[in-house]
């Protein structure tokens, strides 16, 4: 008689880990509860405006035990926005971020880190150490391998525990969608790097994936295949990627601001640097406004957002 396969919940229990699936404005958090003497660790910390909520979530899970490590898969605002709040609550905690960001943290360079280009809020923080691909980091009772996962973000890393074949994928692999390939939005290349990150994940052959957004899942092969098909489609028609990114970033903006006058939202699309190339490299101001209007019009038509008295908000 063969044993029934572990569910993601079984694997998490054995790893002493918990996955907190958050809403879209905040990325998921993975908490490693740790043993008696080594404290707890958390991977990714949510969006800055949810800082108090993230602290409360971890306090509730940890009780009197301290949080001793904080790690980020990458420094997007939804993954590192709670760093400062967590460090205020647990001042002894050690913060590690992917090594590629080292030149941009001291002094804090909001533009190089991408916050300015995306027009997203942040609270600066000080890192104490770096996650270097090819090395390991101890989380709870296990050593986790650190792998480079460029594409979505050039400096992103994956964390992989080989015995249970568990992957913390950040935004390099989701179950149902492909994350924006941000370098492509600012005129750099990222599609090939994203393919390589998928190749890396395929070689690791994870049994359980803990993604940056959405529930844990087990069919990594299907997710990789679907991501590859979407990447190929975007590589064949980069304008489609720009449209996809514009929709996703407008949605994110509305999640943050709740309701925005249509004219302000259209102006935001025209002026936000990361969307500047969306209508095309040599687009006229007229074409930029047309692209903004069309993006909002389609989101309304697809019932992703709703409009009432000139105000746009998330539908539902
Ligand atoms: Zn991200």
């Amino acid at each position: 008689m063969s044993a029934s396969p572990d569910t993601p919940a079984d694997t998490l229990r054995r790893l002493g880990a918990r996955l907190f699936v958050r809403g879209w404005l905040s990325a998921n958090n993975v908490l490693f509860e740790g043993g008696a003497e080594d404290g707890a660790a958390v991977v990714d910390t949510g969006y800055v405006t949810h800082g108090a909520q993230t602290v409360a979530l971890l306090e509730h899970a940890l009780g009197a035990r301290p949080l001793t490590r904080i790690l980020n898969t990458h420094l997007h605002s939804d993954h590192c926005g709670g760093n400062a709040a967590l460090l205020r609550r647990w001042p002894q905690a050690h913060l590690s971020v992917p090594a590629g960001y080292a030149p941009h943290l001291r002094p804090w360079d909001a533009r190089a880190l991408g916050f300015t280009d995306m027009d997203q809020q942040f609270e600066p923080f000080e890192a104490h150490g770096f996650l270097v691909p090819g090395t390991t980091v101890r989380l709870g009772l296990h050593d986790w391998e650190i792998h480079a996962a460029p594409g979505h973000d050039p400096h992103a890393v994956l964390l992989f525990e080989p015995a249970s074949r568990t992957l913390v994928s950040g935004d390099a692999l989701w179950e149902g969608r492909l994350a924006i390939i941000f370098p492509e939005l600012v005129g750099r290349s990222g599609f090939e790097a994203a393919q390589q990150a998928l190749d890396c994940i395929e070689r690791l052959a994870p049994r359980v994936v803990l993604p940056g957004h959405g529930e844990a899942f087990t069919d990594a092969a299907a997710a990789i295949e679907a991501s590859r098909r979407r990447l190929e489609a975007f590589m064949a028609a980069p304008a489609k990627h720009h449209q996809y990114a514009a929709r996703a970033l407008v949605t994110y903006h509305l999640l943050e601001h709740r309701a925005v006058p249509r004219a302000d939202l259209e102006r935001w699309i025209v002026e936000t640097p990361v969307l500047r190339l969306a209508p095309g490299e040599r687009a006229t101001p007229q074409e930029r406004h047309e692209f903004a209007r069309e993006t909002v019009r389609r989101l309304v038509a697809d019932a992703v957002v709703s409009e009432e008295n000139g105000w746009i908000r998330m539908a539902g």
Side-chain angles (χ1 to χ4, degrees):
M1 201 178 90
S2 66
S4 59
D6 276 0
T7 64
D10 295 332
T11 303
L12 283 165
R13 209 171 302 117
R14 275 190 288 117
L15 291 168
R18 289 178 64 177
L19 174 69
F20 295 105
V21 177
R22 308 285 297 269
W24 272 93
L25 199 51
S26 278
N28 292 344
N29 320 115
V30 188
L31 176 66
F32 293 88
E33 297 184 356
E37 61 271 24
D38 56 336
V42 68
V43 179
D44 287 341
T45 64
Y47 194 59
V48 65
T49 55
H50 290 175
Q53 193 185 93
T54 305
V55 167
L57 205 59
L58 297 183
E59 277 177 342
H60 183 74
L62 291 172
R65 285 167 301 160
L67 183 71
T68 56
R69 285 207 75 144
I70 304 167
L71 302 87
N72 297 129
T73 56
H74 60 300
L75 296 188
H76 280 166
S77 58
D78 52 334
H79 292 255
C80 69
N83 285 3
L86 263 51
L87 286 169
R88 267 194 301 279
R89 172 62 183 80
W90 290 283
Q92 306 305 320
H94 181 277
L95 169 64
S96 303
V97 306
Y101 299 103
H104 309 314
L105 296 174
R106 198 192 284 175
W108 182 267
D109 186 343
R111 179 162 289 280
L113 290 167
F115 298 119
T116 312
D117 281 1
M118 293 184 221
D119 187 33
Q120 290 172 357
Q121 296 181 56
F122 59 87
E123 185 180 354
F125 50 80
E126 188 120 2
H128 310 111
F130 294 101
L131 302 171
V132 181
T135 66
T136 63
V137 61
R138 187 88 175 164
L139 294 174
L141 309 170
H142 301 84
D143 288 327
W144 290 68
E145 299 171 2
I146 301 168
H147 296 270
H152 169 69
D153 182 88
H155 307 305
V157 298
L158 305 165
L159 301 171
F160 182 69
E161 199 287 303
S164 64
R165 303 216 320 271
T166 303
L167 178 74
V168 175
S169 66
D171 291 346
L173 183 70
W174 295 343
E175 186 172 24
R177 297 170 60 189
L178 179 74
I180 298 168
I181 309 301
F182 277 97
E184 295 280 343
L185 301 184
V186 291
R188 301 197 198 105
S189 70
F191 291 141
E192 290 80 6
Q195 284 180 318
Q196 287 158 18
L198 292 174
D199 292 346
C200 168
I201 296 172
E202 188 168 52
R203 283 194 297 276
L204 296 172
R207 218 180 45 75
V208 176
V209 180
L210 309 177
H213 299 270
E215 300 284 343
F217 61 93
T218 53
D219 197 347
I224 291 167
E225 192 46 40
S227 292
R228 282 211 179 104
R229 280 199 301 273
R230 290 188 189 103
L231 256 182
E232 283 159 11
F234 287 151
M235 290 171 91
K240 289 228 158 62
H241 176 249
H242 279 299
Q243 282 160 13
Y244 173 72
R247 283 173 74 97
L249 289 164
V250 168
T251 305
Y252 197 80
H253 186 71
L254 285 171
L255 283 171
E256 185 184 351
H257 297 275
R258 294 180 182 276
V260 180
R262 180 189 272 257
D264 290 1
L265 187 60
E266 290 178 356
R267 191 174 325 115
W268 183 82
I269 296 170
V270 169
E271 291 176 357
T272 297
V274 82
L275 293 174
R276 201 179 52 80
L277 296 180
E281 194 126 15
R282 278 181 281 277
T284 63
Q286 173 84 24
E287 286 165 333
R288 293 187 193 287
H289 281 98
E290 187 44 47
F291 175 81
R293 267 195 298 277
E294 182 61 13
T295 300
V296 177
R297 192 194 65 73
R298 281 200 204 172
L299 284 167
V300 173
D302 295 343
V304 176
V305 306
S306 62
E307 180 171 21
E308 208 185 318
N309 302 325
W311 286 73
I312 305 285
R313 67 182 73 236
M314 292 301 292

